[in-house]
């Protein structure tokens, strides 16, 4: 018989949101669900919000074209403009670069979009990998 030992792990979650309106929505939703997660107002591509404490895990829910939500939001077909992709890609890369510097050694960063476009997913990650030498992709099982 194998014995498993569990240790209490001290952890915390901090959320970062650029939109004041969404911060209020996030806090209200958290209260309704019985959760209390601190939500900071700030731009993930900047440092103004950061207290210099590093993170072990970072989830980047990047702003994107929302091409993956067309079924729920059919108007995206009309709103989606190819000329907006370079701006979104630039913002995504800025966020990744800034947040990467806030990750502790050995930490994990998860990148998510609701886009189906390779330019905002695989190709963007490869651009990021070209800029950083200390990054590797880890497959999750």
């Amino acid at each position: 018989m194998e014995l498993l030992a569990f240790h209490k792990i001290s952890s915390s979650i901090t959320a970062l949101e650029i939109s004041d309106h969404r911060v209020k929505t996030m806090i209200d939703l958290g209260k309704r669900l019985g959760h209390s997660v601190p939500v900071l107002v700030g731009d993930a591509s900047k440092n103004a919000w950061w207290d210099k404490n590093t993170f072990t895990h970072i989830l980047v829910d990047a702003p994107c074209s929302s091409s993956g939500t067309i079924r729920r939001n059919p108007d995206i077909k009309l709103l989606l403009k190819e000329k907006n992709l370079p701006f979104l890609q630039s913002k995504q890369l800025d966020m990744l670069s800034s947040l990467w510097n806030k990750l502790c050694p050995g930490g994990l960063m998860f990148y998510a979009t609701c886009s189906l476009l390779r330019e905002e997913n695989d190709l963007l990650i490869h651009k990021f990998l070209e800029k950083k030498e200390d990054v590797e992709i880890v497959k999750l099982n």
Side-chain angles (χ1 to χ4, degrees):
M1 180 201 279
E2 186 176 330
L3 294 175
L4 298 176
F6 293 94
H7 301 281
K8 185 176 180 182
I9 298 172
S10 174
S11 64
S12 66
I13 296 174
T14 302
L16 179 66
E17 174 57 54
I18 197 167
S19 164
D20 288 327
H21 175 71
R22 284 195 293 247
V23 167
K24 182 181 179 338
T25 302
M26 291 168 69
I27 291 170
D28 290 347
L29 180 61
K31 284 180 186 173
R32 210 173 70 227
L33 296 173
H35 298 291
S36 176
V37 173
V39 182
L40 303 176
V41 179
D43 183 341
S45 65
K46 309 283 189 235
N47 289 324
W49 60 273
W50 190 41
D51 64 4
K52 306 296 185 242
N53 289 317
T54 57
F55 297 91
T56 58
H57 296 80
I58 296 176
L59 168 63
V60 181
D61 183 7
C64 66
S65 64
S66 302
S67 62
T69 66
I70 288 176
R71 186 176 188 178
R72 262 193 342 231
N73 304 299
D75 58 326
I76 286 179
K77 289 183 213 175
L78 302 171
L79 301 173
L80 189 59
K81 304 277 188 250
E82 189 174 339
K83 66 181 181 184
N84 293 341
L85 278 178
F87 169 78
L88 290 168
Q89 288 175 306
S90 176
K91 187 66 173 173
Q92 293 158 352
L93 279 171
D94 288 348
M95 287 175 69
L96 283 172
S97 295
S98 177
L99 291 170
W100 184 256
N101 295 327
K102 295 163 181 63
L103 193 64
C104 71
L108 295 173
M109 180 180 286
F110 302 86
Y111 177 77
T113 69
C114 58
S115 173
L116 299 174
L117 304 176
R118 291 186 69 226
E119 291 85 357
E120 295 182 280
N121 292 304
D122 297 349
L123 296 177
L124 184 98
I125 293 301
H126 288 292
K127 277 185 187 181
F128 179 68
L129 290 170
E130 290 171 4
K131 294 172 86 174
K132 300 285 185 183
E133 293 181 12
D134 60 340
V135 176
E136 68 177 297
I137 294 177
V138 177
K139 292 191 182 239
L140 300 176
N141 295 329

